[in-house]
Amino acid sequence: MENTNNKLTIKEKLGYGLGDTASNIVFQMVANFMLIFYTDVYGLSAAAAGTLLLAVRLFDGFTDPVMGGIADRTRTRWGSYRPYILFLAIPYGFFACIAFITPDFGSTGKLIYAYVTYGMLMTCYTAINIPYGALGAVMVNDPKERTSLQSYRFAMAMAALVVIVWAIPKLVAYFGQGNDQVGYPLAMVFMGSLAAACFLLCFKMTKETQTMPAKQSYRSLFTDFFTLFKNDQWLVIAIISLVTLILIGIRASVAPHYIKYYVGDESLLSNFLTLAAIGSVLGAISTNFLSKYFEKKNLFIIALIVVVISHSLFYVMDVEQISLIFTVYFIANFAHMIITPIMFSMVADTVDYGVKKIGKRLTAITFSGHLLAIKFGFAIGGALAGWILSGFDYVPNQQQTEHALSGILLAFAGIPVVCTLLSLIVVSRYKLTEIKVKQIQADLA
């Protein structure tokens, strides 16, 4: 495999980042509003909504490795991965819209519609996001430049989060005029169109600079996926990604419930989520700067410790300390978004390690396996949110009991603390320092 580019232009980094802006328009919409949409607008029970969020993602256990194998075997004049960004951009925006329509069906019909449309959206997300993730690994191979690329990516991803959490409540109110069943799909027409445009710009502003090996047989597709588990360093990152996304999935799902019911002032939601999103943007931007002075694993561990401390504070703060609650959540998101770009740059490093370890370069398969861990974690988090709310007797659109409020706090802060402590334990097994990665690349050259 030949590399002809060890440095990227700002344009290329911005172009690549636009792809995750597009991805996160949907990802953050699902993370922050899907559960409360299903429970408070669509009319599903919390338990049914939680099960739906998990069940659809279990299907990804099949589609993710398939898509990774297909992308690794694709050879076109645009490269192996960019064609999927080009041709799936518009369908991606379309499915984002129809998933938020509330049909005039009976309870069974509405549940079926929810499963089908959410399933279609997540399948399209897989088909475009796995090639997008793999694209970053074939744009450059220098470890620090990879971290820089991922910091641009996640800064722009979190910019999408800022737009989503600030604009969606306002767009839903504007288009719906008090009817959220009208407001949500019309808001997503706007956001879906924006996502499609961002993906098309990503295609135009990026290029693949590494030549992929000769096309492989499709017969080895699943063999390639299971071969991944021989890559012990990929497995470490996959486990960390799984528990990290459980954290994100459960916390984001109940953040609206936390503000609406635990704090008791729904009008604060947009500002609460927007400030947290700004913290995420600043965290991603800071990663590019901090990674110049800290080895990535050490920076990763420091950020994890800050996440543990910040979430623990929610158990000792009074609900009337609004400014403090906002500040602590800002810090939690700032630290967490230092973790995320480092984690994705580590995935790219495990690709190189895998060539030496198992003798095969499995770029898209590696990223598909990582995305699968992310999706499972996010699905488990979303499902846990629904199940915890149900288990603690949550009732939509009513004043909650103390028992229900304790469940909301457990989901919002308690489970994230446990997930982060697990990540701290697992990351101790990661050994691909920047020096080690450069040594591996030199051996493979």
Side-chain angles (χ1 to χ4, degrees):
M1 184 173 182
E2 179 185 357
N3 184 293
T4 59
N5 184 23
N6 284 318
K7 294 292 181 183
L8 296 172
T9 66
I10 298 298
K11 176 184 175 182
E12 288 173 313
K13 292 177 182 179
L14 290 172
Y16 186 67
L18 281 171
D20 223 13
T21 301
S23 292
N24 268 269
I25 286 174
V26 169
F27 183 87
Q28 299 298 342
M29 188 68 195
V30 170
N32 290 282
F33 297 102
M34 185 65 88
L35 181 61
I36 201 164
F37 167 76
Y38 276 147
T39 59
D40 290 25
V41 179
Y42 195 86
L44 297 181
S45 70
T51 301
L52 163 62
L53 295 175
L54 178 61
V56 169
R57 292 298 176 85
L58 291 178
F59 179 65
D60 289 336
F62 173 77
T63 60
D64 278 28
V66 168
M67 191 62 227
I70 291 172
D72 272 339
R73 289 159 174 78
T74 299
R75 303 291 181 269
T76 74
R77 62 190 178 95
W78 298 294
S80 294
Y81 309 120
R82 290 172 66 242
Y84 296 98
I85 297 172
L86 173 64
F87 292 111
L88 292 176
I90 293 175
Y92 178 78
F94 172 74
F95 290 130
C97 300
I98 65 171
F100 284 88
I101 291 174
T102 302
D104 187 18
F105 299 156
S107 58
T108 301
K110 288 176 68 175
L111 186 61
I112 292 172
Y113 180 86
Y115 268 92
V116 171
T117 53
Y118 184 57
M120 292 168 68
L121 174 60
M122 288 299 99
T123 299
C124 192
Y125 180 90
T126 293
I128 198 168
N129 203 260
I130 285 175
Y132 168 73
L135 173 61
V138 296
M139 289 176 66
V140 69
N141 72 353
D142 178 75
K144 284 194 177 294
E145 195 71 359
R146 279 176 173 172
T147 302
S148 176
L149 179 64
Q150 296 299 331
S151 71
Y152 272 81
R153 169 187 179 178
F154 285 100
M156 298 183 70
M158 292 305 98
L161 172 58
V162 173
V163 171
I164 285 291
V165 299
W166 177 81
I168 284 298
K170 293 175 173 56
L171 288 173
V172 170
Y174 175 76
F175 288 121
Q177 295 296 307
N179 185 349
D180 287 353
Q181 290 187 354
V182 174
Y184 266 100
L186 291 179
M188 286 308 295
V189 169
F190 178 83
M191 289 299 176
S193 300
L194 180 61
C198 287
F199 263 135
L200 291 173
L201 285 171
C202 174
F203 170 83
K204 183 176 179 61
M205 296 168 67
T206 59
K207 60 179 180 291
E208 299 179 25
T209 62
Q210 299 183 48
T211 305
M212 298 301 292
K215 191 173 181 180
Q216 305 172 62
S217 167
Y218 280 90
R219 290 178 296 178
S220 63
L221 191 151
F222 281 99
T223 301
D224 285 353
F225 177 72
F226 288 111
T227 299
L228 266 184
F229 291 87
K230 297 179 182 178
N231 185 332
D232 57 294
Q233 295 302 287
W234 174 84
L235 192 58
V236 166
I237 300 304
I239 294 170
I240 292 172
S241 300
L242 177 73
V243 296
T244 298
L245 267 293
I246 291 174
L247 184 163
I248 293 175
I250 192 168
R251 187 187 67 186
S253 294
V254 299
H257 302 78
Y258 175 79
I259 292 296
K260 182 177 180 179
Y261 300 110
Y262 195 90
V263 174
D265 189 349
E266 189 176 10
S267 67
L268 296 173
L269 179 60
S270 180
N271 290 337
F272 180 71
L273 296 179
T274 301
L275 182 63
I278 292 171
S280 296
V281 173
L282 294 176
I285 293 171
S286 298
T287 306
N288 189 34
F289 171 76
L290 293 172
S291 64
K292 297 176 182 178
Y293 300 98
F294 294 92
E295 210 287 325
K296 66 171 70 175
K297 179 180 175 181
N298 295 333
L299 183 57
F300 194 86
I301 291 172
I302 293 169
L304 286 173
I305 293 170
V306 174
V307 171
V308 170
I309 294 171
S310 56
H311 282 88
S312 299
L313 289 175
F314 283 103
Y315 274 92
V316 297
M317 290 186 293
D318 190 274
V319 294
E320 295 180 357
Q321 296 177 294
I322 301 299
S323 297
L324 186 58
I325 289 173
F326 274 52
T327 300
V328 170
Y329 198 50
F330 174 91
I331 293 170
N333 281 269
F334 178 90
H336 200 278
M337 200 39 62
I338 290 175
I339 293 167
T340 305
I342 295 175
M343 186 170 66
F344 274 77
S345 72
M346 287 173 168
V347 177
D349 293 342
T350 67
V351 174
D352 295 327
Y353 174 79
V355 178
K356 188 170 184 178
K357 175 81 173 181
I358 59 182
K360 296 184 75 174
R361 183 169 292 275
L362 303 171
T363 306
I365 282 284
T366 300
F367 277 88
S368 73
H370 181 243
L371 183 60
L372 181 59
I374 286 174
K375 285 184 173 182
F376 275 175
F378 187 62
I380 292 168
L384 280 175
W387 295 339
I388 288 173
L389 291 181
S390 179
F392 281 78
D393 302 322
Y394 165 79
V395 180
N397 301 311
Q398 293 187 22
Q399 184 174 349
Q400 304 302 316
T401 64
E402 287 297 321
H403 185 56
L405 292 176
S406 67
I408 291 173
L409 185 60
L410 173 66
F412 183 72
I415 300 299
V417 168
V418 174
C419 290
T420 311
L421 289 173
L422 287 173
S423 294
L424 275 168
I425 294 170
V426 177
V427 78
S428 65
R429 308 291 298 176
Y430 187 76
K431 61 185 181 184
L432 295 182
T433 63
E434 292 167 1
I435 293 175
K436 179 70 173 177
V437 171
K438 288 184 176 181
Q439 288 174 344
I440 292 171
Q441 292 174 344
D443 291 343
L444 296 174

